[in-house]
Amino acid sequence: MLHRILEQRLQKAVRALFPDATTANILVRPCPDPKFGDYQTNALMSVAKERKMNPRQLATDVLAKLDVADLCDKVEIAGAGFLNFRVKATAIAQTLEAAARGEHLFFTKTEKPRTVVVDFSSPNVAKPMHVGHIRSTILGDSLARILRTLGHHVVTDNHIGDWGTQFGKLLIGWKHHLDAAMLQADPISEMERLYKLVNAASENDASILEAARQELVKLQGGDEENLRIWREMIELSQHQFNDIYGRLGVKFDHALGESFYNPWLREVVQELREREIARETEGAIGIFSDGSLPPKEDPFLIQRDGEWQANPCLIQKSDGGFNYATTDLATLKYRLETWHPEEIAYVTDGRQQLHFRQIFAVFNRWHPEAKIKLAHVWFGSILGEDGKPFKTRSGETVKLFELLDEAEERAFKVVSEKNPEVSEAERKEIARVVGIGSVKYADLQQNRQSDYVFSWDKMLSLQGNTAPYLQYAYTRVQSIFRKSGEASLAENQKAKIELIAPEEMSLAKHLLNFGLILEAVAEDYRPNFLCSYLYELAGHFARFYENCPVLKAEKAERDSRLALSALTAHVLKQGLELLGIETVEQM
Ligand code: ARG
């Protein structure tokens, strides 16, 4: 890629001046303002600082050693010591020609592949998957796809909530109130009903709570009957989860639920106690602040009534039961020993921030030697159009299955209005791709840490930053090829690309940035960067297509423009695929 080549030349020039310099951090990035150039580096200023040199002088010295005449029209020193590169049209065209020949699609696989575990989706057994889990599923899947495409070794793991206190109540419900017919018709709803029933009853009746506790102890102690029922509940839930994953096109390498770690929980607590990381507190076991952080950043402190008070991470309850945190610590250890990751990304709701800050801090005290990046990739809530948490009209949490059905139905209407002549089967398929794509894109396009308002009309609109807009843009490019009436792809693989019109040039430069955007997404875990990039790409293409005739142009120009169009289509398709969104050829 062009910026990469510039980077290498620049690093070489710096090393020519200072043979001992470490140059890996010398990067070249697109210029924020095209007025000043195409690419820019600010890295020389840090080199100057390190060497206590005048930055502009250093930039002048580096420039004297820099050989980029084949790629750049000019290189200028600007501001406090920036270098701005103005790239030659021929150099851009050559990069595009290589892409047209299939040598790359504007990104390169990383030279330093990392093993990255992505922990995402992670719904809870016996409960319907709700819209909160959709964000985790969609975000996590897209991040995994992007990391993998960049050449990282990705391990996806669905940390299903299949162990925990809810099973006490569920077991009581199952044993005393089960409606077999309803269980058959809609198992999750029936289990949800049982849970709610027992939960409500236990609020006024302590004996029910105690009975639930005993069922849980029996389950955890290996009671045959309880284990059998528990397994059945998991299996029934798993079926529903799998249906949803099938519809979303999401796959996992592993689905090691919380129960998988049960055999190690006791050991984890014991080890943390022996190492004096954890201690007893009011009959329970917890981990407290070690005072190594300022109170504001310390996850084991909380401000109450103007004072900093202990906020321990509990790993064993006074009744001997274990906590969510205990399981996460055991999970971390298992992942480390099994997959040796350099990085683990947890994709969950923002309300779990404190939990993960504590887990990461405990882990650093427990395994200070482990060199691992632990990241909590958290996200905000989905709101209804009234600005309150997204609910159905009757006030229930919206179920994922119904949401996806509605998306497809609404998309079907849009598609049918636009294309009444297309066969129903085809319209159904387009509606599936557009409907599911819309829901995914509406989610991914947001800054994940903001709450966003769920709006059918917005997400299904053919205008604006939406999935249908991009999917439609893709079909428009494809229609050029249908009209061109030739085996055009093979033709323009060999095409000579000439960038003359300003719209051709802007489109070309935007295509070049695809790889940089993918790297930025992987770095910050933010697929919304890719959404904005694709939206802008569609805009560049629309302006190009409006101002530069393709099929009516003379042979050489036509081939060049067809090649540009084909590259746009490739990037749109691959970009959407990396968001987990399908495309159709006609809409
Ligand atoms: N099951 C949890 C929930 O629904 C999410 C689990 C996230 N992953 C983890 N390792 N804690 O909130």
Side-chain angles (χ1 to χ4, degrees):
M1 251 22 58
L2 260 182
H3 75 277
R4 191 75 84 216
I5 305 175
L6 291 176
E7 239 162 54
Q8 286 160 357
R9 302 264 182 98
L10 185 63
Q11 296 176 354
K12 200 170 147 204
V14 172
R15 279 195 303 269
L17 273 182
F18 313 111
D20 63 323
T22 42
T23 52
N25 292 336
I26 298 183
L27 304 180
V28 171
R29 289 289 173 263
C31 220
D33 186 344
K35 244 189 357 238
F36 302 120
D38 300 313
Y39 292 98
Q40 179 176 78
T41 184
N42 59 11
L44 296 184
M45 293 183 282
S46 353
V47 178
K49 200 167 169 198
E50 257 168 46
R51 299 188 173 260
K52 303 199 169 51
M53 285 178 68
N54 173 321
R56 283 192 72 102
Q57 184 56 49
L58 178 99
T60 313
D61 296 349
V62 171
L63 197 53
K65 298 269 180 213
L66 182 66
D67 178 14
V68 289
D70 55 333
L71 301 174
C72 293
D73 284 329
K74 63 177 180 198
V75 187
E76 278 176 341
I77 302 173
F82 289 90
L83 282 190
N84 289 338
F85 302 85
R86 177 80 62 192
V87 175
K88 281 194 158 105
T90 49
I92 298 178
Q94 276 163 14
T95 312
L96 263 66
E97 283 162 8
R101 289 193 300 268
E103 288 168 23
H104 63 73
L105 193 59
F106 308 107
F107 64 88
T108 40
K109 299 236 174 208
T110 174
E111 282 153 22
K112 296 184 203 105
R114 302 192 297 272
T115 297
V116 186
V117 176
V118 187
D119 173 320
F120 73 104
S121 193
S122 312
N124 301 316
V125 163
K127 286 192 199 161
M129 247 186 170
H130 57 69
V131 288
H133 292 118
I134 201 176
R135 284 201 97 169
S136 176
T137 309
I138 293 171
L139 267 165
D141 179 51
S142 170
L143 291 172
R145 286 171 189 254
I146 291 170
L147 284 160
R148 215 165 247 159
T149 299
L150 288 175
H152 297 293
H153 174 56
V154 176
V155 181
T156 52
D157 188 9
N158 190 358
H159 191 73
I160 294 175
D162 61 359
W163 200 239
T165 45
Q166 75 267 32
F167 286 102
K169 288 173 185 163
L170 277 165
L171 281 161
I172 300 242
W174 187 283
K175 287 181 181 177
H176 303 289
H177 310 284
L178 187 65
D179 181 333
M182 271 177 64
L183 187 72
Q184 216 178 18
D186 184 353
I188 301 266
S189 297
E190 173 59 5
M191 289 190 274
E192 193 190 17
R193 184 187 71 85
L194 292 176
Y195 179 81
K196 285 186 175 160
L197 187 83
V198 179
N199 194 41
S202 70
E203 268 165 29
N204 322 316
D205 187 345
S207 72
I208 296 183
L209 213 57
E210 178 53 26
R213 210 185 60 77
Q214 274 170 22
E215 292 293 357
L216 186 68
V217 171
K218 268 166 70 185
L219 172 69
Q220 292 176 339
D223 176 82
E224 274 309 317
E225 194 195 358
N226 281 6
L227 275 175
R228 185 189 58 73
I229 298 174
W230 169 72
R231 279 193 205 105
E232 196 172 337
M233 291 195 257
I234 294 183
E235 202 179 301
L236 292 169
S237 306
Q238 195 67 58
H239 276 305
Q240 192 217 7
F241 298 159
N242 288 344
D243 283 349
I244 298 228
Y245 296 140
R247 286 180 76 174
L248 292 175
V250 172
K251 292 195 189 100
F252 298 90
D253 301 319
H254 304 276
L256 301 174
E258 293 179 19
S259 66
F260 177 79
Y261 301 96
N262 193 40
W264 292 289
L265 301 182
R266 194 167 301 283
E267 262 169 57
V268 167
V269 173
Q270 201 180 343
E271 198 181 326
L272 288 168
R273 288 188 76 177
E274 277 165 15
R275 300 264 306 271
E276 294 182 2
I277 297 169
R279 66 171 160 85
E280 213 181 302
T281 166
E282 296 168 22
I285 309 290
I287 295 148
F288 291 76
S289 169
D290 63 357
S292 63
L293 285 172
K296 257 197 193 143
E297 288 159 36
D298 192 326
F300 306 100
L301 291 181
I302 193 162
Q303 201 161 33
R304 269 197 213 106
D305 310 323
E307 257 181 78
W308 290 106
Q309 296 187 1
N311 182 35
C313 169
L314 295 179
I315 55 172
Q316 189 163 20
K317 299 179 206 165
S318 52
D319 68 4
F322 299 102
N323 301 64
Y324 183 46
T326 330
T327 306
D328 256 325
L329 289 166
T331 305
L332 231 173
K333 187 170 163 164
Y334 175 85
R335 288 175 176 164
L336 212 65
E337 285 167 0
T338 311
W339 301 313
H340 311 285
E342 273 94 8
E343 188 174 323
I344 306 181
Y346 297 83
V347 189
T348 87
D349 194 291
R351 280 169 293 196
Q352 298 196 30
Q353 282 176 83
L354 179 67
H355 168 73
F356 283 106
R357 284 173 58 221
Q358 290 192 329
I359 295 296
F360 299 169
V362 172
F363 190 74
N364 286 336
R365 274 149 78 179
W366 186 20
H367 286 283
E369 78 293 347
K371 282 196 194 54
I372 183 165
K373 173 176 170 195
L374 298 172
H376 183 206
V377 181
W378 61 270
F379 50 82
S381 315
I382 306 182
L383 307 176
E385 305 217 43
D386 56 1
K388 300 207 183 103
F390 189 44
K391 293 267 161 68
T392 61
R393 260 185 224 100
S394 54
E396 309 262 315
T397 39
V398 179
K399 295 178 183 153
L400 203 41
F401 215 81
E402 293 166 4
L403 186 94
L404 297 181
D405 285 345
E406 188 168 349
E408 291 186 24
E409 279 157 27
R410 285 177 181 258
F412 185 72
K413 267 198 212 124
V414 177
V415 173
S416 299
E417 268 160 36
K418 220 172 155 288
N419 293 308
E421 74 291 351
V422 173
S423 78
E424 176 165 341
E426 240 176 289
R427 276 181 283 141
K428 279 248 151 71
E429 172 60 7
I430 299 173
R432 183 188 67 75
V433 170
V434 171
I436 305 282
S438 301
V439 171
K440 287 189 174 186
Y441 193 86
D443 207 279
L444 292 167
Q445 173 237 343
Q446 305 290 330
N447 169 351
R448 62 177 159 79
Q449 289 168 343
S450 337
D451 296 346
Y452 77 91
V453 173
F454 191 93
S455 158
W456 286 118
D457 291 342
K458 251 195 219 154
M459 74 177 73
L460 286 166
S461 168
L462 280 163
Q463 263 107 46
N465 192 3
T466 65
Y469 171 75
L470 293 175
Q471 288 167 321
Y472 185 58
Y474 173 76
T475 63
R476 277 187 49 191
V477 192
Q478 293 304 80
S479 79
I480 301 174
F481 290 101
R482 277 194 297 276
K483 280 187 217 137
S484 78
E486 47 191 284
S488 39
L489 277 177
E491 271 295 296
N492 58 56
Q493 273 172 2
K494 291 171 288 175
K496 177 139 186 45
I497 293 184
E498 287 203 77
L499 304 167
I500 297 156
E503 293 84 5
E504 288 175 309
M505 190 48 111
S506 324
L507 175 61
K509 284 180 183 168
H510 196 73
L511 285 168
L512 289 189
N513 290 342
F514 186 45
L516 276 168
I517 292 294
L518 297 183
E519 285 166 22
V521 173
E523 182 69 31
D524 274 1
Y525 313 107
R526 291 191 190 278
N528 62 313
F529 296 165
L530 177 56
C531 297
S532 309
Y533 170 85
L534 294 175
Y535 179 56
E536 285 162 21
L537 176 61
H540 281 297
F541 184 79
R543 284 186 291 280
F544 155 77
Y545 196 56
E546 204 171 291
N547 292 291
C548 307
V550 177
L551 295 177
K552 292 207 178 83
E554 291 302 321
K555 174 84 176 121
E557 201 169 51
R558 176 188 155 118
D559 283 349
S560 168
R561 290 179 177 173
L562 276 173
L564 258 178
S565 307
L567 289 172
T568 305
H570 283 327
V571 171
L572 273 174
K573 189 179 169 76
Q574 166 110 54
L576 286 170
E577 216 168 271
L578 290 173
L579 297 170
I581 295 174
E582 296 176 62
T583 40
V584 285
E585 295 303 302
Q586 246 168 313
M587 243 170 97

